[in-house]
Amino acid sequence: MCKTQHPVWEPYGGKTKHHPQEPGPQQLALQEQIRRFSTPHWQNVQVTGDGEPESTIVKSEDSHTFTIRCPNKHETRNEGATPIAHFLGAIVSGSQAALISSAKDLNLQVGHVKWQATGKYDLRGVRGEQGAVSQLKGISIVAELDSNATAKQLDDLRRMVEVRSILANTMSNVQGLDFVVEYKSAFNFQSSMGTHM
């Protein structure tokens, strides 16, 4: 015979008080699994753009707008950063977000991070000269962390960030692109470098 569980009631100020049963560890784990599996694994990102001769106004899905200056319009008024500058900035920003979550998972204390991203390309390809290719040949990312992390900790952190950062991970798998990432500790001069070619 099945027994039905009823809520626990007790007197409280002349009234009755209900004590809801707290979820246990197994219930919490099950709730987390349901949440994860109910979230679509593949996410789409979309932007729209309005192009003019000197710049492009880009609008993101969350209605944030920013201006990208045409790279061959150096003589015009400052309409914004170039496409490559935005691209490098996106790699840095994505890596910063991944670094914060990764450092937390590694129990690593990290304060301010100073980033430097450098891209190398052949200008002849941009001009359309025959035999030249218009693409980035190399990208260098250097992160200087306010941290006492050891070389081993920096190495673990760098590898984890490269896995979690969408753009950094994508760039590390592009054939023919020299993608170099270096993490440095500002406090004890330890470092970790990874090279992908």
Side-chain angles (χ1 to χ4, degrees), residues 122-134:
D122 190 341
L123 188 59
R124 295 172 298 176
V126 179
R127 293 171 178 163
E129 296 183 17
Q130 190 173 5
V133 180
S134 178

Side-chain angles (χ1 to χ4, degrees), residues 120 135-139 171-179 196-197:
K120 180 181 180 181
Q135 67 180 32
L136 285 167
K137 176 59 179 174
I139 296 177
M171 292 299 98
S172 68
N173 289 286
V174 175
Q175 292 186 354
L177 175 69
D178 296 337
F179 187 65
H196 307 274
M197 297 183 180

Side-chain angles (χ1 to χ4, degrees), residues 52-124:
E52 299 293 340
E54 297 180 353
S55 62
T56 302
I57 306 298
V58 179
K59 186 176 183 179
S60 63
E61 291 176 308
D62 57 1
S63 300
H64 180 74
T65 60
F66 53 96
T67 302
I68 301 178
R69 174 170 53 87
C70 292
N72 59 342
K73 294 293 181 180
H74 300 292
E75 72 280 0
T76 63
R77 63 186 184 276
N78 186 11
E79 290 286 348
T82 63
I84 294 179
H86 274 276
F87 181 67
L88 294 175
I91 296 176
V92 166
S93 177
S95 296
Q96 171 71 16
L99 186 149
I100 296 302
S101 62
S102 299
K104 183 178 180 180
D105 289 347
L106 293 171
N107 294 318
L108 185 60
Q109 296 294 324
V110 176
H112 177 76
V113 182
K114 183 177 181 180
W115 294 89
Q116 179 176 322
T118 306
K120 180 181 180 181
Y121 64 94
D122 190 341
L123 188 59
R124 295 172 298 176

Side-chain angles (χ1 to χ4, degrees), residues 156-197:
D156 292 340
L157 179 63
R158 177 184 56 77
R159 292 175 186 273
M160 187 176 289
V161 170
E162 287 183 17
V163 169
R164 293 184 174 184
S165 173
I166 296 172
L167 291 180
N169 193 8
T170 301
M171 292 299 98
S172 68
N173 289 286
V174 175
Q175 292 186 354
L177 175 69
D178 296 337
F179 187 65
V180 180
V181 180
E182 182 178 11
Y183 281 19
K184 298 179 180 180
S185 173
F187 296 161
N188 59 13
F189 307 106
Q190 298 293 308
S191 65
S192 170
M193 179 180 290
T195 304
H196 307 274
M197 297 183 180

